[in-house]
Amino acid sequence: MTVRKIWDGRANLEEIEAGNDTMHLQGLTLFLYKPESHQWSQTFANMNDGTLSEPPLIGEFKEGRGEFYCQDTFNGRNILVRFVWSNITPDSHRVEQSFSDDGGKTWEPNFIANLTRVKK
């Protein structure tokens, strides 16, 4: 993953390349800051389909934690999507995506990554 600040930190672009023996992913995540609401939008694009995710997740960072939400569909069902950024330090963070099909009462994690900066 490579992260770049854009527009004096009011936007960030993450380029992602990940994989294992059975899959390979190349994509990017775009974060845009909205000063009026002090919130960020988060959209994702997978190189395989070349489009930005709709709708974007919306959220904010407070006290070293970011929470982003959107309403979407999965397998034909309406769901809530939650993306949580936590354990944020200058050199690492954790990110977890979860789905809820009961209005946010329960969450099922489906993606977790613990990321650490590689010093060059």
Side-chain angles (χ1 to χ4, degrees):
M1 177 179 299
T2 303
V3 180
R4 288 189 302 234
K5 285 185 181 181
I6 305 170
W7 300 340
D8 294 323
R10 292 178 105 170
N12 285 293
L13 182 66
E14 292 181 341
E15 294 180 80
I16 304 161
E17 185 166 356
N20 58 30
D21 292 340
T22 61
M23 65 80 85
H24 184 82
L25 169 74
Q26 283 184 276
L28 62 86
T29 305
L30 176 64
F31 292 88
L32 299 171
Y33 182 67
K34 188 173 181 180
E36 305 84 52
S37 65
H38 303 286
Q39 292 181 313
W40 291 82
S41 66
Q42 175 185 342
T43 51
F44 177 76
N46 185 321
M47 187 179 88
N48 293 333
D49 66 20
T51 61
L52 287 172
S53 58
E54 290 287 335
L57 290 118
I58 305 295
E60 58 190 306
F61 291 91
K62 287 184 179 178
E63 300 175 9
R65 180 180 170 91
E67 290 192 24
F68 292 73
Y69 297 89
C70 76
Q71 200 162 6
D72 207 344
T73 57
F74 182 72
N75 292 335
R77 293 182 53 98
N78 288 323
I79 61 166
L80 288 176
V81 179
R82 177 179 70 186
F83 228 86
V84 176
W85 298 79
S86 61
N87 303 328
I88 300 170
T89 73
D91 293 322
S92 65
H93 67 275
R94 174 186 171 94
V95 63
E96 180 178 305
Q97 176 181 274
S98 301
F99 291 169
S100 174
D101 65 359
D102 61 9
K105 292 176 188 160
T106 61
W107 293 95
E108 180 181 333
N110 54 37
F111 175 81
I112 298 171
N114 292 296
L115 302 164
T116 303
R117 182 185 315 266
V118 175
K119 306 270 183 174
K120 292 183 180 181

